[in-house]
């Protein structure tokens, strides 16, 4: 079992980033809800350190998320970040109060205790990032200050007798220049992590776990054409071979020629794949539906129905595998109960299927999935594919869905994506695609006036999809793509480019 750093999630939007940064150090980390910590089982689960995340709540709120700190502190090294630090200060007898003004944005370390191991190789003056409305005004007995800024007296503190530290800033965000060093100091210098976690070690451990868990059982897996389900399929194939059957469902809203192309690629990988054209069912059930969440729910339900029908034709199947990854789980439902958007592969299965769920990538981030895919030897053209929504083009067509609209968008999207590849720009953006807008505009083609559809192009740069900036593509490239779409895609006479960042916008339009 790998050494493990546990991040207790108190609902912060940057909890994922803490986990990612620790993984980048070659250390396995696991994010679990604040109320699911296995007290007293640290040695059994090989937990070598715990990080307490931030939270949108205040520690003095009646509904604040809290844990029994007395059971935790002293068992393994603990680092509290923002709310995590305030929780320790407040619960152990210190004071936490609303700050005179919200402390948000860049700050610089004004003082550092030289002997503090958490700040080894970190210098006074380095930039950090604050994001809190409360501040610690007094430390509990048995703790002392180890860092401050011009505006925050207790920017960091430590226990006099236990391996416990707290920081009021966010070392996990990119704006904290010394953030990775601080996390390295905690995980490696203090917790003693050996930095042995890697894609290769993940494959070795996961394949062994899959063989032990699945035994001689048969498994069906839903392929989507994306990198997540592709990596899950190859990983499972390595573990159980021909006892895995992959089902690739065409809901009619895939990209141009994607069903045929990806099906051929899967068979080249030696996977046992069944292709199912269920587009008529999906189009019928989506007829007249315009609400984005209803689209996702309908597609998710229909996908399960098709899967159920196909899986029932295979004797002895006991497991359903999915390419679910960490962000899917977190976006579908956070511990605060806030849904960002529904993911059709998160949320359970109909009881009648009587299948157990297998999700070998559930604890991986997208970039880690790609690294595992490369280590598995999956061809680069499958690994470097941009993320693509499970509902496909249904959530890139604003308004109701028809086969005619899908055909228009498929051709426009194909021109855009092919253009990115041909121009060497594809791997410089995180995700790209075309969106069919629910408006028509006046245009002139030849000597005739037209009244046709408008298409928006969307391309973003990102590292984790939690935040994203619009990709600054060359004007000449955008002009060429626009011209080709308008000339070659009948029904489109206007092309726009989306220059919104996330937040406040999302990457997809629905």
């Amino acid at each position: 079992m790998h050494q493990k750093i546990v991040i207790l999630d108190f609902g912060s939007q940057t909890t994922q980033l803490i986990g990612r940064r620790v993984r980048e150090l070659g250390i396995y980390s696991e994010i679990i809800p604040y109320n699911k910590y296995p007290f007293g089982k640290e040695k059994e689960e090989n937990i070598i350190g715990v990080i307490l995340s931030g939270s949108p709540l205040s520690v003095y709120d009646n509904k604040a998320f809290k844990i029994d700190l007395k059971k935790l502190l002293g068992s393994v090294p603990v680092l509290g970040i923002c709310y995590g630090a305030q929780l320790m200060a407040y619960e152990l007898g210190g004071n936490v109060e609303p700050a005179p003004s919200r402390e948000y944005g860049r700050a610089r370390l004004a003082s550092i205790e030289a002997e503090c191991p958490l700040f080894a190789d970190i210098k006074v003056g380095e930039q950090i990032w604050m994001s809190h409305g409360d501040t610690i005004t007094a430390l509990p007995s048995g703790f002392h200050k180890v860092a401050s800024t011009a505006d925050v007296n207790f920017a960091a503190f430590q226990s006099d007798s236990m391996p416990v530290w707290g920081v009021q800033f966010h070392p996990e965000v990119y704006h904290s220049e010394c953030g990775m060093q601080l996390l390295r100091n905690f995980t490696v210098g203090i917790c003693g992590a050996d930095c042995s976690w890697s894609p290769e070690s993940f494959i070795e451990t996961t394949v062994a776990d899959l063989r032990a868990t699945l035994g001689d059982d048969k498994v069906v897996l839903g392929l989507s054409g994306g990198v997540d389900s592709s990596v899950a399929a190859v990983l499972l194939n390595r573990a159980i071979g021909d006892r895995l059957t992959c089902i690739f469902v065409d809901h009619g809203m895939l990209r141009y020629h994607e069903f045929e192309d990806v099906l051929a690629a899967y068979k080249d990988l030696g996977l046992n794949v069944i292709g199912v054209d269920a587009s008529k069912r999906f189009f019928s059930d989506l007829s007249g539906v315009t609400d984005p969440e209803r689209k996702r729910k309908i597609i998710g339900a229909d996908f399960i129905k098709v899967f159920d029908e196909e899986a029932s034709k295979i004797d002895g199947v006991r497991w359903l595998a999915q390419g679910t990854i960490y962000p899917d789980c977190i976006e579908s439902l956070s511990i605060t109960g806030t849904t960002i958007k529904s993911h059709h592969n998160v949320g359970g299965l109909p009881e009648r299927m009587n299948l157990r769920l297998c999700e070998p990538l559930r604890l991986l981030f997208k970039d880690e999935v790609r690294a595992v895919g490369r280590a598995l030897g999956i061809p680069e053209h499958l690994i470097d594919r941009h993320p693509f929504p499970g509902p496909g083009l249904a959530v890139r067509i604003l308004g109701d869905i028809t086969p005619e609209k899908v055909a228009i968008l498929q051709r426009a999207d194909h021109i855009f994506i092919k253009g990115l590849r041909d121009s060497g720009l594809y791997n410089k953006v995180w995700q790209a695609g075309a969106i069919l807008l629910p408006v028509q505009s006046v245009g002139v083609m030849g000597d005739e006036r037209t009244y046709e559809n408008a298409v928006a192009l969307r391309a973003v740069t990102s590292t984790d999809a939690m935040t994203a900036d619009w990709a600054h593509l060359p004007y000449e490239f955008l002009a060429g793509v626009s011209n080709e779409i308008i000339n070659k895609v009948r029904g489109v006479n206007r092309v726009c480019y989306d220059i919104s960042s996330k937040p406040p916008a999302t990457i997809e339009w629905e």
Side-chain angles (χ1 to χ4, degrees), residues 377-392:
I378 298 176
E380 194 64 27
H381 71 273
L382 287 176
I383 294 299
D384 73 359
R385 286 169 62 93
H386 289 169
F388 188 62

PDB file of all heavy atoms in Angstrom, residues 377-392:
ATOM      1  N   GLY A 377       0.940   2.524 -22.879  1.00  0.00           N
ATOM      2  CA  GLY A 377       1.252   2.377 -24.292  1.00  0.00           C
ATOM      3  C   GLY A 377       0.105   2.711 -25.224  1.00  0.00           C
ATOM      4  O   GLY A 377       0.118   2.325 -26.404  1.00  0.00           O
ATOM      5  N   ILE A 378      -0.889   3.450 -24.746  1.00  0.00           N
ATOM      6  CA  ILE A 378      -2.017   3.842 -25.607  1.00  0.00           C
ATOM      7  C   ILE A 378      -1.534   4.895 -26.603  1.00  0.00           C
ATOM      8  O   ILE A 378      -0.809   5.824 -26.233  1.00  0.00           O
ATOM      9  CB  ILE A 378      -3.171   4.399 -24.751  1.00  0.00           C
ATOM     10  CG1 ILE A 378      -3.679   3.312 -23.796  1.00  0.00           C
ATOM     11  CG2 ILE A 378      -4.307   4.909 -25.624  1.00  0.00           C
ATOM     12  CD1 ILE A 378      -4.748   3.786 -22.841  1.00  0.00           C
ATOM     13  N   PRO A 379      -1.915   4.795 -27.890  1.00  0.00           N
ATOM     14  CA  PRO A 379      -1.460   5.755 -28.900  1.00  0.00           C
ATOM     15  C   PRO A 379      -1.776   7.203 -28.520  1.00  0.00           C
ATOM     16  O   PRO A 379      -2.815   7.486 -27.908  1.00  0.00           O
ATOM     17  CB  PRO A 379      -2.241   5.335 -30.155  1.00  0.00           C
ATOM     18  CG  PRO A 379      -2.543   3.893 -29.943  1.00  0.00           C
ATOM     19  CD  PRO A 379      -2.759   3.741 -28.469  1.00  0.00           C
ATOM     20  N   GLU A 380      -0.866   8.090 -28.889  1.00  0.00           N
ATOM     21  CA  GLU A 380      -0.969   9.490 -28.488  1.00  0.00           C
ATOM     22  C   GLU A 380      -2.240  10.155 -29.011  1.00  0.00           C
ATOM     23  O   GLU A 380      -2.793  11.038 -28.358  1.00  0.00           O
ATOM     24  CB  GLU A 380       0.266  10.255 -28.976  1.00  0.00           C
ATOM     25  CG  GLU A 380       0.436  11.627 -28.342  1.00  0.00           C
ATOM     26  CD  GLU A 380       0.686  11.566 -26.833  1.00  0.00           C
ATOM     27  OE1 GLU A 380       1.215  10.546 -26.359  1.00  0.00           O
ATOM     28  OE2 GLU A 380       0.339  12.537 -26.138  1.00  0.00           O
ATOM     29  N   HIS A 381      -2.725   9.735 -30.193  1.00  0.00           N
ATOM     30  CA  HIS A 381      -3.910  10.404 -30.748  1.00  0.00           C
ATOM     31  C   HIS A 381      -5.160  10.137 -29.906  1.00  0.00           C
ATOM     32  O   HIS A 381      -6.138  10.882 -29.999  1.00  0.00           O
ATOM     33  CB  HIS A 381      -4.151   9.995 -32.201  1.00  0.00           C
ATOM     34  CG  HIS A 381      -4.629   8.588 -32.384  1.00  0.00           C
ATOM     35  ND1 HIS A 381      -3.770   7.521 -32.496  1.00  0.00           N
ATOM     36  CD2 HIS A 381      -5.880   8.070 -32.460  1.00  0.00           C
ATOM     37  CE1 HIS A 381      -4.467   6.407 -32.656  1.00  0.00           C
ATOM     38  NE2 HIS A 381      -5.740   6.710 -32.626  1.00  0.00           N
ATOM     39  N   LEU A 382      -5.136   9.088 -29.081  1.00  0.00           N
ATOM     40  CA  LEU A 382      -6.225   8.864 -28.138  1.00  0.00           C
ATOM     41  C   LEU A 382      -5.964   9.564 -26.807  1.00  0.00           C
ATOM     42  O   LEU A 382      -6.893  10.049 -26.159  1.00  0.00           O
ATOM     43  CB  LEU A 382      -6.423   7.366 -27.897  1.00  0.00           C
ATOM     44  CG  LEU A 382      -7.052   6.555 -29.035  1.00  0.00           C
ATOM     45  CD1 LEU A 382      -7.087   5.076 -28.670  1.00  0.00           C
ATOM     46  CD2 LEU A 382      -8.467   7.052 -29.341  1.00  0.00           C
ATOM     47  N   ILE A 383      -4.688   9.629 -26.421  1.00  0.00           N
ATOM     48  CA  ILE A 383      -4.334  10.234 -25.137  1.00  0.00           C
ATOM     49  C   ILE A 383      -4.489  11.748 -25.156  1.00  0.00           C
ATOM     50  O   ILE A 383      -4.932  12.356 -24.176  1.00  0.00           O
ATOM     51  CB  ILE A 383      -2.879   9.867 -24.754  1.00  0.00           C
ATOM     52  CG1 ILE A 383      -2.776   8.363 -24.488  1.00  0.00           C
ATOM     53  CG2 ILE A 383      -2.423  10.642 -23.528  1.00  0.00           C
ATOM     54  CD1 ILE A 383      -3.644   7.868 -23.365  1.00  0.00           C
ATOM     55  N   ASP A 384      -4.112  12.379 -26.273  1.00  0.00           N
ATOM     56  CA  ASP A 384      -4.117  13.844 -26.279  1.00  0.00           C
ATOM     57  C   ASP A 384      -5.456  14.448 -26.682  1.00  0.00           C
ATOM     58  O   ASP A 384      -5.573  15.659 -26.860  1.00  0.00           O
ATOM     59  CB  ASP A 384      -2.993  14.387 -27.170  1.00  0.00           C
ATOM     60  CG  ASP A 384      -3.270  14.202 -28.673  1.00  0.00           C
ATOM     61  OD1 ASP A 384      -4.321  13.628 -29.031  1.00  0.00           O
ATOM     62  OD2 ASP A 384      -2.428  14.641 -29.481  1.00  0.00           O
ATOM     63  N   ARG A 385      -6.478  13.610 -26.810  1.00  0.00           N
ATOM     64  CA  ARG A 385      -7.803  14.133 -27.167  1.00  0.00           C
ATOM     65  C   ARG A 385      -8.286  15.123 -26.110  1.00  0.00           C
ATOM     66  O   ARG A 385      -8.148  14.891 -24.908  1.00  0.00           O
ATOM     67  CB  ARG A 385      -8.809  12.992 -27.286  1.00  0.00           C
ATOM     68  CG  ARG A 385      -8.652  12.144 -28.532  1.00  0.00           C
ATOM     69  CD  ARG A 385      -9.504  10.899 -28.442  1.00  0.00           C
ATOM     70  NE  ARG A 385     -10.913  11.228 -28.345  1.00  0.00           N
ATOM     71  CZ  ARG A 385     -11.732  11.312 -29.388  1.00  0.00           C
ATOM     72  NH1 ARG A 385     -11.281  11.068 -30.600  1.00  0.00           N
ATOM     73  NH2 ARG A 385     -12.999  11.612 -29.239  1.00  0.00           N
ATOM     74  N   HIS A 386      -8.864  16.209 -26.569  1.00  0.00           N
ATOM     75  CA  HIS A 386      -9.444  17.173 -25.639  1.00  0.00           C
ATOM     76  C   HIS A 386     -10.597  16.520 -24.861  1.00  0.00           C
ATOM     77  O   HIS A 386     -11.251  15.612 -25.374  1.00  0.00           O
ATOM     78  CB  HIS A 386     -10.008  18.374 -26.398  1.00  0.00           C
ATOM     79  CG  HIS A 386      -8.967  19.260 -26.983  1.00  0.00           C
ATOM     80  ND1 HIS A 386      -9.271  20.252 -27.885  1.00  0.00           N
ATOM     81  CD2 HIS A 386      -7.622  19.317 -26.818  1.00  0.00           C
ATOM     82  CE1 HIS A 386      -8.160  20.887 -28.239  1.00  0.00           C
ATOM     83  NE2 HIS A 386      -7.151  20.326 -27.602  1.00  0.00           N
ATOM     84  N   PRO A 387     -10.848  16.984 -23.646  1.00  0.00           N
ATOM     85  CA  PRO A 387     -12.054  16.525 -22.946  1.00  0.00           C
ATOM     86  C   PRO A 387     -13.288  16.803 -23.796  1.00  0.00           C
ATOM     87  O   PRO A 387     -13.362  17.819 -24.499  1.00  0.00           O
ATOM     88  CB  PRO A 387     -12.062  17.384 -21.672  1.00  0.00           C
ATOM     89  CG  PRO A 387     -10.636  17.776 -21.471  1.00  0.00           C
ATOM     90  CD  PRO A 387     -10.059  17.940 -22.839  1.00  0.00           C
ATOM     91  N   PHE A 388     -14.239  15.890 -23.751  1.00  0.00           N
ATOM     92  CA  PHE A 388     -15.473  16.027 -24.524  1.00  0.00           C
ATOM     93  C   PHE A 388     -16.622  15.617 -23.621  1.00  0.00           C
ATOM     94  O   PHE A 388     -16.548  14.574 -22.956  1.00  0.00           O
ATOM     95  CB  PHE A 388     -15.414  15.131 -25.767  1.00  0.00           C
ATOM     96  CG  PHE A 388     -16.558  15.336 -26.735  1.00  0.00           C
ATOM     97  CD1 PHE A 388     -16.742  16.567 -27.356  1.00  0.00           C
ATOM     98  CD2 PHE A 388     -17.434  14.308 -27.024  1.00  0.00           C
ATOM     99  CE1 PHE A 388     -17.777  16.759 -28.252  1.00  0.00           C
ATOM    100  CE2 PHE A 388     -18.472  14.486 -27.918  1.00  0.00           C
ATOM    101  CZ  PHE A 388     -18.649  15.715 -28.534  1.00  0.00           C
ATOM    102  N   PRO A 389     -17.677  16.420 -23.523  1.00  0.00           N
ATOM    103  CA  PRO A 389     -18.758  16.121 -22.570  1.00  0.00           C
ATOM    104  C   PRO A 389     -19.461  14.805 -22.883  1.00  0.00           C
ATOM    105  O   PRO A 389     -19.650  14.453 -24.057  1.00  0.00           O
ATOM    106  CB  PRO A 389     -19.702  17.315 -22.729  1.00  0.00           C
ATOM    107  CG  PRO A 389     -19.403  17.874 -24.087  1.00  0.00           C
ATOM    108  CD  PRO A 389     -17.933  17.640 -24.300  1.00  0.00           C
ATOM    109  N   GLY A 390     -19.843  14.087 -21.828  1.00  0.00           N
ATOM    110  CA  GLY A 390     -20.566  12.832 -22.018  1.00  0.00           C
ATOM    111  C   GLY A 390     -21.805  12.981 -22.877  1.00  0.00           C
ATOM    112  O   GLY A 390     -22.061  12.141 -23.743  1.00  0.00           O
ATOM    113  N   PRO A 391     -22.616  14.045 -22.679  1.00  0.00           N
ATOM    114  CA  PRO A 391     -23.788  14.228 -23.526  1.00  0.00           C
ATOM    115  C   PRO A 391     -23.448  14.668 -24.950  1.00  0.00           C
ATOM    116  O   PRO A 391     -24.345  14.860 -25.768  1.00  0.00           O
ATOM    117  CB  PRO A 391     -24.571  15.335 -22.806  1.00  0.00           C
ATOM    118  CG  PRO A 391     -24.047  15.350 -21.424  1.00  0.00           C
ATOM    119  CD  PRO A 391     -22.606  14.966 -21.537  1.00  0.00           C
ATOM    120  N   GLY A 392     -22.159  14.832 -25.206  1.00  0.00           N
ATOM    121  CA  GLY A 392     -21.730  15.179 -26.563  1.00  0.00           C
ATOM    122  C   GLY A 392     -22.200  16.545 -27.007  1.00  0.00           C
ATOM    123  O   GLY A 392     -22.289  17.491 -26.220  1.00  0.00           O
TER     124      GLY A 392
END
